[in-house]
Amino acid sequence: MNKTKTAAIYIRVSTEAQREEGYSIDAQKEMLTAHCVSKGIKNYAYYIDGGFTGSNIERPQMQLLISDIKQGKISHVVVYKLDRLSRSQKDTLYLIEDVFNPHGVDFISMNESMDTSTPLGRLMLGILSAFAQLERENIRERTRMGMRERVKSGKWMGGGRTPFGYDYDEITGTLVPNKDAERVRKVYELYLKGHSTGHIAQSLGLKYDKLAYQILTRKSNAGYIQYNGEEYLGKHEPIISLETYEGTMRYMKERSVKKVSESNYLLTGLLVCGRCGAKMRYQKWGKRDCKLVCYSQDKSKKHLVKDENCNNPKIWATDVEDLVVKDFLELSFEYSKLAPPKISNMSLLEVLHDQYSSIAQKLRRLYNLYAESTDDILLESINTTKKELYNIQLQIENETEKNKSTGGFANLHKTLTELPETWEYMTIKEKKVLLNDCINKITITDGHVVIDYKLSRIKEDGNDDNK
């Protein structure tokens, strides 16, 4: 053995193992030092990871040990027991085959009387590592099965990952809304009005922007528990209605596919040539100004050309923008004088939601009874009630889909009523998003501009027409 090399006595103690007899740091040091001396190993050093799990090798002293081995400083690695090195078969074999062996380092496990300098020692190592890994996976599987049964009964997964707006009640095993529940409701309200998650997080004092997105996508806020790709009705009190959650998911999907240009041009994506039907674009005209040009007149993008002979005149962009903004603000002023539009069939939706709440409460009671007494009759009642709940949910979704456009207009109505006071303070991106929400297209023909609104213009006599 090279006398300049050192035997590494590696000691790992997890938080739980510190309370186990024979696993403390001092106990391992004493036994391993004596073992090295008995083997004639006089030059040794300690590598100690206190309070680290053995499920991976991302431990400070383990990483230092690996580094020292690769630098040729280590002759042996000595541990009290195999699982002190690692509880993962993959990591154990990696250390032996890819770190220890290539650098001529022998591995000794005192408890298993193992020495990898011998063929038998290497064979025993592989067998013991396999059994250790098998036991660990069995424990994990039993834990998962217990967790699945827990969430199926409507209880939360545990107190470690409590969603924002809830506290975990250890006695009942369920979630309880806390003082932040109102902020959770506000997140949904602001998002459905068109605000970004960044703006919402800043307005409500959330720690980071992503938290607003996480709140919006958690179905636990509507009374459900999602676990391993499955969904279960929880026993906890919802912060928002299922309708609000599903409406938010639809709106989020719409916003994700809505392509609003990142340029600073206000009307990009809305402009259409009235002569040939091609899209129109901004084109620099001089040092500062732009004109709007039909893509049919731009031969560099042939896939956008509708008519090579189109001669729709170019028009100053600022003139069109000023006209559109003026008309849009007039539209918002008309809406500010009127009551919010009524949503049709709301009475039917209210009846369906009442039925849903009643059946959901019945299902929770049945779950509670079944948890106390696993009666097959109760289980049949639970399955029947779940089918009733599912059918009501389908009816709600159908009615909601019918009212989807009207509901969207109702949300925009409130934004429009506040627009005259807020427009000048909005960023160019916010203005573009709002215009894209309210306008289908802007058609330009020989200098004449026609705005096709998604919302109808409302006359004082009650008649509707588009500009």
Side-chain angles (χ1 to χ4, degrees), residues 220-258:
S220 53
N221 293 325
Y224 288 81
I225 301 174
Q226 294 173 313
Y227 177 74
N228 264 8
E230 298 292 334
E231 191 175 281
Y232 306 93
L233 184 64
K235 291 182 177 179
H236 60 280
E237 177 187 343
I239 294 177
I240 60 165
S241 67
L242 180 62
E243 180 188 6
T244 298
Y245 174 81
E246 292 178 340
T248 301
M249 293 303 97
R250 285 194 298 270
Y251 185 47
M252 187 175 288
K253 186 176 181 180
E254 291 172 5
R255 285 175 65 162
S256 67
V257 300
K258 186 185 292 293

Side-chain angles (χ1 to χ4, degrees), residues 110-343:
M110 177 181 165
N111 191 72
E112 287 86 5
S113 299
M114 184 182 303
D115 188 340
T116 61
S117 63
T118 67
L120 182 59
R122 288 193 289 272
L123 175 62
M124 288 299 297
L125 175 66
I127 295 172
L128 290 172
S129 295
F131 277 110
Q133 180 72 3
L134 178 62
E135 177 61 19
R136 190 160 175 261
E137 290 178 354
N138 285 338
I139 293 172
R140 185 187 299 114
E141 183 61 27
R142 288 195 295 269
T143 301
R144 286 177 177 173
M145 289 178 65
M147 186 65 73
R148 189 179 297 111
E149 292 303 313
R150 179 184 179 86
V151 297
K152 281 176 68 175
S153 70
K155 294 183 179 180
W156 187 245
M157 294 168 281
R161 297 168 56 191
T162 307
F164 186 86
Y166 283 102
D167 290 327
Y168 177 66
D169 186 337
E170 294 184 359
I171 298 176
T172 63
T174 60
L175 298 175
V176 180
N178 60 25
K179 58 183 178 61
D180 289 316
E182 187 56 40
R183 278 206 286 177
V184 171
R185 294 187 189 95
K186 199 68 177 175
V187 169
Y188 287 92
E189 179 185 335
L190 291 174
Y191 186 78
L192 290 171
K193 288 180 180 178
H195 294 279
S196 67
T197 53
H199 174 75
I200 293 170
Q202 185 177 12
S203 301
L204 299 180
L206 302 179
K207 289 183 179 180
Y208 46 90
D209 292 0
K210 193 176 180 180
L211 179 55
Y213 175 81
Q214 291 172 346
I215 290 171
L216 290 168
T217 54
R218 283 175 182 156
K219 201 168 184 178
S220 53
N221 293 325
Y224 288 81
I225 301 174
Q226 294 173 313
Y227 177 74
N228 264 8
E230 298 292 334
E231 191 175 281
Y232 306 93
L233 184 64
K235 291 182 177 179
H236 60 280
E237 177 187 343
I239 294 177
I240 60 165
S241 67
L242 180 62
E243 180 188 6
T244 298
Y245 174 81
E246 292 178 340
T248 301
M249 293 303 97
R250 285 194 298 270
Y251 185 47
M252 187 175 288
K253 186 176 181 180
E254 291 172 5
R255 285 175 65 162
S256 67
V257 300
K258 186 185 292 293
K259 295 182 179 179
V260 179
S261 171
E262 294 296 328
S263 72
N264 288 325
Y265 298 134
L266 185 64
L267 306 178
T268 298
L270 295 173
L271 302 165
V272 177
C273 173
R275 286 208 173 181
C276 69
K279 293 182 179 180
M280 300 185 73
R281 70 178 183 88
Y282 284 76
Q283 184 180 75
K284 285 287 186 181
W285 206 268
K287 292 184 178 181
R288 296 183 179 180
D289 296 328
C290 289
K291 283 193 175 184
L292 301 179
V293 183
C294 174
Y295 264 113
S296 289
Q297 300 171 18
D298 184 356
K299 302 302 186 287
S300 64
K301 296 186 178 181
K302 294 183 179 180
H303 63 286
L304 295 176
V305 174
K306 298 290 185 181
D307 180 2
E308 293 182 355
N309 299 315
C310 180
N311 59 356
N312 197 9
K314 301 175 177 64
I315 185 172
W316 289 108
T318 51
D319 291 344
V320 177
E321 289 179 350
D322 290 345
L323 186 151
V324 171
V325 171
K326 180 175 181 295
D327 192 75
F328 188 52
L329 291 176
E330 288 178 358
L331 175 67
S332 69
F333 182 71
E334 292 174 13
Y335 269 81
S336 69
K337 296 187 295 182
L338 300 175
K342 294 182 180 179
I343 300 177

Side-chain angles (χ1 to χ4, degrees), residues 368-387:
N368 287 332
L369 292 171
Y370 187 72
E372 297 174 1
S373 173
T374 55
D375 192 321
D376 290 341
I377 296 177
L378 284 174
L379 188 58
E380 290 178 9
S381 297
I382 288 173
N383 291 331
T384 301
T385 307
K386 286 171 69 175
K387 290 178 182 178

Side-chain angles (χ1 to χ4, degrees), residues 354-396:
D354 287 342
Q355 291 179 359
Y356 185 93
S357 298
S358 177
I359 296 173
Q361 289 176 3
K362 177 183 176 182
L363 186 58
R364 289 192 181 97
R365 289 195 297 270
L366 287 171
Y367 272 128
N368 287 332
L369 292 171
Y370 187 72
E372 297 174 1
S373 173
T374 55
D375 192 321
D376 290 341
I377 296 177
L378 284 174
L379 188 58
E380 290 178 9
S381 297
I382 288 173
N383 291 331
T384 301
T385 307
K386 286 171 69 175
K387 290 178 182 178
E388 291 179 21
L389 197 67
Y390 178 73
N391 290 332
I392 293 294
Q393 185 172 342
L394 287 179
Q395 293 180 56
I396 291 175

Side-chain angles (χ1 to χ4, degrees), residues 402-434:
K402 291 179 183 177
N403 300 322
K404 181 179 174 183
S405 59
T406 311
F409 292 165
N411 287 330
L412 281 175
H413 174 272
K414 181 171 177 58
T415 303
L416 289 173
T417 58
E418 300 170 351
L419 194 62
E421 290 76 30
T422 60
W423 178 262
E424 63 178 302
Y425 301 105
M426 296 171 66
T427 66
I428 185 68
K429 184 176 180 179
E430 290 172 335
K431 291 177 180 179
K432 289 170 66 176
V433 169
L434 184 56

Side-chain angles (χ1 to χ4, degrees), residues 1 3 5-7 33 36-45:
M1 183 182 70
K3 293 183 180 180
K5 290 189 176 183
T6 301
T33 302
C36 286
V37 172
S38 70
K39 292 286 187 179
I41 301 173
K42 298 180 180 180
N43 192 24
Y44 49 81

